[in-house]
Amino acid sequence: MTAAGTVGAAVGAGATLRSLLVALSWPELRHHAWRTAAALVAVMLGVALAYSVHLVNASALDEFSAAVRAVGGEPDLTFAGPSGGFDEALYARVATDPRVALASPIVEGDTFAFGADGHRVPLRIVGIDALVAPTLAPALALRPSHPDDRYAVLDPGAVFLNAEATRRLGGGGSRIELQTAAGRAPWRVAGSVATGGPALAAMDIAGAQVLLGRLGVLSRIDVRLASGADRAAFARDLVLPPGVRAAAPGDGLQRVSNVSRAYRVNLTVLALVAMFTGAFLVYSIQSLSVARRQQQLALLGVLGLSARGRLALVVAESAVLGVFGSALGLALGAALAALALRQLGGDLGGGYFSGVSPALHVGAGGLLVHGALGIAAAIAGGFLPARAAARLAPAQALKGLGSPPQGRATVALGAAAIAAGLGLALMPPIAGLPLAAYASVALLLVGGIACVPGSVALLLAGWREPTQPLALLAVERARHERSAATVAVAGVVASLALSVALTVMVTSFRDAVVEWLDVVLPADLYARAAVGPSGGDVAALPSSLAIAAAGLPGVRRIDAQRVVSLSFDASRPAVTLIAKPLRD
């Protein structure tokens, strides 16, 4: 044969092989359109849920971070005290230290503002030195409403509202009523501040001390050090009063992030459950497709397609499912995240970012990561069917005598996965998260599915053969084609098992919290004047209320209590101190 003939034969064989590949893959997928659609939907929903939760978490945390940075600014060091504050004499020592370039005293507290219709609005009060604070925190710069009222920034009776406070108070006005340490009192609204986040009012520090009943007390001191000063040495050399600590600028944000971390991780794991289930559905669909196309795949093997080529063919089909499913899932996830942020807020009702109304932030990194996860899940689901296609014996499969090998080590691997899962379930948390428990659930699930063929064999070992033909065929097929049982139940077992596991986990956590609350908060009814769980700063119930309530019909016992938030570590959640009579 001439060289031209050899080249022509090779080109013709390659074209024939490509035609066969196309003819044997896409028509098969179109023939089983509902199965293909099911796989696409499974991958799409998994990616959509995971991506939407990621967007909600990231958007809320970014918005909260921006609000914290706006109020806290960018100091080199912050001296913070207990919730009740500390003596302002420390400010003189800090401000006069030669290593300090700038020191900004801050008074903070929570109170209520009253709208025009009388409704109460929780309000954060921030008292600042208007001549110093804007240098460290530009968003706290007091902006008078009228240019000729520029001295209002020094008026202790004037407040400056942020956008959220103005919105919740019905558009603002020239005066508002605030709950002060001496009762309700009117205050002049002189302008605004650019700080975002929850409702906030900034004012001169002297006025804030009067409003909060903290004369001579500061909440924190923000410090910018001189060039070349050692922050650690300065904090170490300065003898701080009891209860006052030196903190880095990002400690407050890190504390909130740590508090909500378990919540956000659990949401992410719940979303990834759908993606995990999608991988099993892809496995089931591709397994059925490979079983249906045994003879065609064997023909490709006879025509020269290697085992590696058959494996690549099925993996490519799975990857295409993953690409289309991920693309649809990313679009759906962004839409779900936008809807969730608008309807439920940035914490999906968790209460960690109250007052924050974040906008949707879509980043290229999140798109790429979650798109890659969707494709990887689809490829992982299609790998075992692809390996079965690669291990076909072409001569036997052409005659209808062959089937994908069962795999002798399947039961052993399943038992090993179950054993590893049981071991991981007993491991302690890693970095404060139950990562080993999540891996345990996955291994137990995979191990259980891998043990299905062996379980079917044990179940049918002593089964008496039925006399009816249809029942006999069913039993014999289950006995000799045990891998088909794995394919049939994989998606169902994955969905049901994960649903049961997560239901048990959530129910157990909820029951534990209810039992804990019954011990810590045993009363039938609580009347609270505080703005939040910290106990509030100026809101308090009158002492006569307890006496009056005790005389009401049906009231057996009245206890007054004080709730105070104590912080021992700037990077960890605060500890709540409950002071009440201990009668029994």
Side-chain angles (χ1 to χ4, degrees), residues 268-293:
T268 302
V269 172
L270 288 172
L272 290 176
V273 165
M275 191 177 296
F276 195 61
T277 306
F280 278 100
L281 289 178
V282 172
Y283 163 70
S284 300
I285 291 167
Q286 289 294 72
S287 296
L288 293 173
S289 176
V290 168
R292 181 182 176 87
R293 293 184 292 168

Side-chain angles (χ1 to χ4, degrees), residues 12-28:
T16 302
L17 187 58
R18 283 196 304 271
S19 300
L20 281 171
L21 288 175
V22 173
L24 294 178
S25 56
W26 304 120
E28 177 67 22

Side-chain angles (χ1 to χ4, degrees), residues 290-538:
V290 168
R292 181 182 176 87
R293 293 184 292 168
Q294 285 185 37
Q295 293 184 348
Q296 293 95 328
L297 291 170
L299 177 60
L300 288 176
V302 171
L303 293 176
L305 184 64
S306 64
R308 182 175 297 180
R310 296 194 297 274
L311 185 144
L313 171 64
V314 180
V315 168
E317 293 174 1
S318 303
V320 170
L321 289 174
V323 169
F324 281 100
S326 297
L328 295 173
L330 291 173
L332 179 61
L336 289 175
L339 180 64
L341 289 174
R342 184 165 59 251
Q343 299 296 330
L344 302 176
D347 51 14
L348 298 180
Y352 295 103
F353 306 109
S354 58
V356 177
S357 301
L360 184 66
H361 300 288
V362 178
L367 283 170
L368 293 176
V369 169
H370 288 84
L373 282 175
I375 297 173
I379 292 176
F383 179 76
L384 288 179
R387 193 176 65 170
R391 296 169 62 183
L392 277 174
Q396 293 182 357
L398 277 176
K399 299 175 183 179
L401 301 176
S403 62
Q406 302 278 340
R408 298 178 179 177
T410 303
V411 176
L413 290 176
I418 291 176
L422 293 175
L424 288 175
L426 303 176
M427 288 186 61
I430 301 173
L433 296 174
L435 301 179
Y438 296 140
S440 172
V441 172
L443 286 175
L444 289 174
L445 177 62
V446 173
I449 292 177
C451 289
V452 168
S455 302
V456 171
L458 291 176
L459 181 64
L460 298 177
W463 193 281
R464 186 174 16 173
E465 295 184 357
T467 56
Q468 296 182 358
L470 291 180
L472 177 62
L473 288 175
V475 170
E476 291 301 319
R477 174 170 174 78
R479 180 176 293 160
H480 296 287
E481 295 290 340
R482 296 189 298 271
S483 61
T486 304
V487 175
V489 304
V492 177
V493 170
S495 304
L496 184 60
L498 288 172
S499 299
V500 171
L502 293 171
T503 301
V504 170
M505 179 186 71
V506 172
T507 304
S508 301
F509 175 76
R510 185 171 183 174
D511 290 345
V513 172
V514 169
E515 292 178 4
W516 176 76
L517 288 176
D518 288 340
V519 175
V520 178
L521 303 174
D524 299 319
L525 183 65
Y526 286 86
R528 187 180 70 179
V531 178
S534 62
D537 297 281
V538 300

Side-chain angles (χ1 to χ4, degrees), residues 16-100:
T16 302
L17 187 58
R18 283 196 304 271
S19 300
L20 281 171
L21 288 175
V22 173
L24 294 178
S25 56
W26 304 120
E28 177 67 22
L29 291 177
R30 287 198 300 269
H31 181 70
H32 296 285
W34 67 272
R35 292 176 181 168
T36 305
L40 280 173
V41 170
V43 176
M44 177 186 70
L45 290 179
V47 173
L49 289 174
Y51 187 55
S52 62
V53 169
H54 163 76
L55 285 179
V56 169
N57 288 336
S59 299
L61 203 55
D62 288 347
E63 190 74 15
F64 190 83
S65 304
V68 170
R69 286 194 298 268
V71 175
E74 294 295 337
D76 296 322
L77 198 63
T78 294
F79 296 103
S83 58
F86 56 89
D87 195 326
E88 65 181 9
L90 178 63
Y91 172 70
R93 292 170 47 202
V94 172
T96 55
D97 193 289
R99 292 168 290 185
V100 174

